[in-house]
């Protein structure tokens, strides 16, 4: 990562890497070999002297069975980006109810949020026909 200055986040992530490497009883040499580098380079990652790449962090995460998020949880924040980011809010998991009302609610919300009014009316009309046919 030539040219990129490291900061306290790199030190924090490096400490978490060293901690998990030791917990997994992995030597620096073993991890470094899997990255295709020297143990000295891995030591620089662990000390935060050099910034670890996303690819190497992913490999390490799989080696230790620790999710990627672990390495960043509690890390110092040096920006003003909201914790949830600027994207859409997380999607709620679907929970089937005995009469499928949860599914209907999820579909209705999606249609309401993403479809133009004429399509919404067509879907509502189709739902009414379906309701009428099934209740006869």
């Amino acid at each position: 990562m030539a040219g990129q200055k490291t900061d306290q986040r790199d030190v924090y992530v490096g400490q978490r890497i060293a901690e998990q490497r030791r917990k997994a009883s992995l030597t620096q040499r073993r991890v470094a070999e899997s990255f295709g580098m020297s143990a000295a380079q891995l030591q620089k990652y662990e000390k935060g002297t050099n910034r670890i790449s996303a690819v190497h962090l992913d490999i390490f995460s799989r080696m230790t069975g620790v999710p990627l998020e672990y390495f960043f949880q509690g890390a110092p924040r040096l920006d003003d980006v909201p914790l949830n980011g600027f994207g859409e809010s997380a999607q709620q998991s679907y929970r089937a109810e005995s009469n499928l009302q949860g599914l209907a609610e999820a579909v209705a919300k999606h249609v309401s949020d993403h479809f133009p009014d004429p399509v919404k009316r067509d879907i509502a009309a189709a739902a009414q026909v379906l309701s009428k046919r099934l209740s006869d």
Side-chain angles (χ1 to χ4, degrees):
M1 300 287 141
Q4 290 185 355
K5 188 173 178 168
T6 59
D7 58 39
Q8 57 186 317
R9 295 172 297 188
D10 298 295
V11 172
Y12 182 85
V13 170
Q15 289 170 344
R16 307 276 280 193
I17 290 169
E19 175 187 317
Q20 288 304 313
R21 179 184 56 76
R22 287 189 291 272
K23 281 185 179 179
S25 299
L26 294 168
T27 64
Q28 284 182 332
R29 171 179 246 142
R30 167 67 181 98
V31 174
E33 286 173 357
S34 71
F35 290 175
M37 65 180 60
S38 69
Q41 178 61 41
L42 177 67
Q43 187 174 42
K44 290 178 183 180
Y45 290 156
E46 290 185 356
K47 289 182 184 276
T49 306
N50 287 4
R51 180 168 293 159
I52 189 167
S53 73
V55 171
H56 288 140
L57 192 56
D58 177 60
I59 292 168
F60 185 73
S61 172
R62 287 184 283 122
M63 286 176 76
T64 58
V66 175
L68 280 171
E69 303 87 49
Y70 166 82
F71 299 99
F72 301 99
Q73 289 171 345
R77 294 188 62 222
L78 304 177
D79 55 45
D80 61 352
V81 176
L83 286 175
N84 295 338
F86 296 110
E88 295 179 8
S89 55
Q91 183 176 356
Q92 298 296 316
S93 61
Y94 169 71
R95 290 183 207 111
E97 297 177 14
S98 61
N99 58 7
L100 297 179
Q101 283 182 322
L103 176 60
E105 289 290 335
V107 170
K109 179 167 179 19
H110 180 76
V111 168
S112 178
D113 292 348
H114 300 287
F115 287 78
D117 287 338
V119 175
K120 291 177 194 177
R121 286 191 291 274
D122 287 345
I123 292 172
Q128 287 177 343
V129 169
L130 182 62
S131 176
K132 183 178 181 197
R133 294 282 172 111
L134 293 175
S135 61
D136 288 341

